[in-house]
Amino acid sequence: MPLLIDSAIPRAHLPADCTAGRDVVVHAHELTIEPGVRLDDGVRLVGDRIHLGRDVHLGAGADLRAGHVSIGDNSEIAAGVRVLCADSFSTGPAARICTGVDIVARAFDAGRLLYVGPHSTVGGGGTLESTATVRIGDRVTVGPHNILNANCLIDIGSNVGSGQYVSIWTHGYHFAHSVLDGYSTAFDGVRIGNKVWLGYHCSIMPGADIGDSCIVAAGAVVAKSFPPRRLLAGVPAREKALFDQPPLTDDQAMHEVRQALAAWQRELDWKGMKTDSSDDRWSVHLPGCTRVVELWQDAAQATGLDSAAEGRIVVALDGEPQTSVDGPPVFVLRRGLLLGPTDDLVEDLRDHLRRRTMPCGDTRTFNSITPLPFQRLQQAITPTTSGGQA
């Protein structure tokens, strides 16, 4: 006789302030949806408990199913993303999961500012097992076309990034090579420490434990464990160098920030904005106003001066800023903070600093201003005439 399980999850009713497209279906015993949530056409949500944070956006056809679904504030799940997790699927604030992503595991739980690139997969065999679990820390980037084969636990720390086509494997076998014939199988979890970079097309094999602040070179195959601060390269990967460089002095660090802001000024010119600079001030001339970006070493000193100046943006190397929602936006680079109000220009600078390895803020996804030539092309409409061709 077939096994019958009476565990139907009832249809849930969306709150009136939730923006939902056509054919949206939600099944939940407990449903909590915060203000600003948008569900595009054909979204499917199934879970005993579902929580969608403030300003979450689920793209058309996204299908999320888990015993417990929790999506943090300001997160974006792209069209067509599919999730099937028996126990839980959760992300902290500012998660961005791109198109073509499939996630199948017992549990997938990630922290703040998760990014999963297009066409990545959590699965790849054996991910319906009781051991199929993924744990991810804060500020983690999973590059495009990655494979996380979570037959056993994959434990990833914070501030970890990966290039394209990276694969993490927790099991390996082939039934033609039987253990009864003396062959061995591999079933073991993978641990990746904090501040690790996984280069293009590298592979992490079952049982590997990569220490904090390691870099895995492109194409490497990591088949064992390594201590922190190593450069790993080769097949199989071996230790090539020990990272033991001293941190930059304040003067050296300020020079790097000046270089980054000068590059941002060039990008703003490309984006159609008029800019100029003098000493440690960069002016951006917008219609009806001028925004001034000031570079300071100490955030507290900077925000104590004329903090109410309209349009002022502060970039500081370190310190304890004194700001509020009514004060200026303040970047504190060594602490990774962005405090105060935000807008398109602030977010463009935030994204630029992120690309220069100085990310700040983890409550919103990264976005930048589209350059004017691209805006023109994106907004173009080809005229059509009756009986003619477009």
Side-chain angles (χ1 to χ4, degrees):
M1 293 180 61
L3 179 64
L4 300 178
I5 301 177
D6 184 11
S7 59
I9 302 175
R11 183 77 174 260
H13 298 287
L14 295 172
D17 59 352
C18 173
T19 302
R22 298 170 297 176
D23 301 321
V24 171
V25 176
V26 180
H27 287 262
H29 290 289
E30 298 178 25
L31 177 65
T32 305
I33 295 184
E34 305 291 346
V37 167
R38 292 183 293 146
L39 308 178
D40 290 350
D41 293 350
V43 164
R44 298 288 187 272
L45 285 169
V46 179
D48 294 301
R49 292 180 294 127
I50 296 175
H51 174 262
L52 302 182
R54 187 178 295 269
D55 296 321
V56 165
H57 178 208
L58 303 187
D63 190 338
L64 312 185
R65 306 183 187 212
H68 172 50
V69 177
S70 180
I71 310 297
D73 295 350
N74 300 307
S75 293
E76 303 171 7
I77 311 296
V81 168
R82 298 187 300 178
V83 171
L84 182 65
C85 293
D87 287 350
S88 68
F89 172 74
S90 67
T91 75
R96 175 177 281 163
I97 300 180
C98 298
T99 186
V101 170
D102 282 338
I103 296 174
V104 179
R106 177 175 179 174
F108 180 98
D109 298 301
R112 308 169 75 88
L113 207 65
L114 171 71
Y115 175 86
V116 182
H119 306 293
S120 289
T121 299
V122 176
T127 44
L128 299 184
E129 300 286 331
S130 63
T131 54
T133 301
V134 178
R135 293 199 301 252
I136 297 177
D138 297 328
R139 298 187 175 198
V140 170
T141 295
V142 178
H145 301 281
N146 280 203
I147 297 174
L148 277 61
N149 166 236
N151 181 270
C152 301
L153 171 65
I154 294 177
D155 191 351
I156 299 175
S158 295
N159 298 300
V160 173
S162 67
Q164 296 188 56
Y165 296 100
V166 168
S167 55
I168 299 175
W169 303 97
T170 64
H171 84 290
Y173 70 92
H174 186 258
F175 53 76
H177 299 149
S178 172
V179 295
L180 302 180
D181 295 327
Y183 295 97
S184 62
T185 60
F187 291 89
D188 206 350
V190 168
R191 178 190 171 274
I192 297 172
N194 301 313
K195 298 183 178 180
V196 170
W197 170 251
L198 305 176
Y200 171 82
H201 223 303
C202 71
S203 298
I204 315 300
M205 307 309 288
D209 186 332
I210 300 175
D212 293 352
S213 301
C214 282
I215 294 177
V216 180
V221 176
V222 180
K224 63 178 186 178
S225 298
F226 289 91
R229 296 182 292 112
R230 265 60 176 182
L231 171 62
L232 312 177
V235 181
R238 294 180 174 86
E239 179 183 327
K240 299 296 183 180
L242 170 65
F243 297 116
D244 198 24
Q245 71 275 16
L248 297 183
T249 65
D250 286 349
D251 288 344
Q252 292 170 327
M254 289 289 282
H255 172 74
E256 293 296 329
V257 179
R258 289 186 184 98
Q259 294 293 101
L261 291 174
W264 183 55
Q265 180 181 358
R266 293 193 296 271
E267 291 303 307
L268 290 178
D269 291 337
W270 157 239
K271 292 177 180 182
M273 303 175 203
K274 183 180 179 182
T275 66
D276 57 64
S277 61
S278 175
D279 295 327
D280 283 341
R281 291 169 59 94
W282 288 260
S283 298
V284 184
H285 305 287
L286 303 171
C289 70
T290 295
R291 305 292 300 276
V292 176
V293 178
E294 298 180 357
L295 174 61
W296 291 77
Q297 186 166 307
D298 189 318
Q301 181 184 11
T303 54
L305 299 173
D306 194 19
S307 62
E310 184 177 356
R312 186 166 176 254
I313 301 171
V314 173
V315 177
L317 186 63
D318 215 331
E320 295 287 341
Q322 304 296 319
T323 189
S324 67
V325 293
D326 297 323
V330 179
F331 293 83
V332 188
L333 300 180
R334 278 184 169 152
R335 298 177 58 195
L337 297 178
L338 172 56
L339 304 176
T342 189
D343 53 34
D344 288 347
L345 189 65
V346 173
E347 292 299 322
D348 191 83
L349 176 55
R350 176 173 173 252
D351 188 59
H352 179 85
L353 291 171
R354 188 252 320 173
R355 292 175 179 274
R356 267 65 184 177
T357 71
M358 293 177 275
C360 289
D362 56 10
T363 61
R364 293 178 300 278
T365 56
F366 288 100
N367 293 283
S368 61
I369 297 170
T370 303
L372 195 60
F374 285 102
Q375 290 184 36
R376 181 179 62 86
L377 295 172
Q378 291 171 348
Q379 296 169 0
I381 300 176
T382 302
T384 60
T385 57
S386 178
Q389 294 184 340

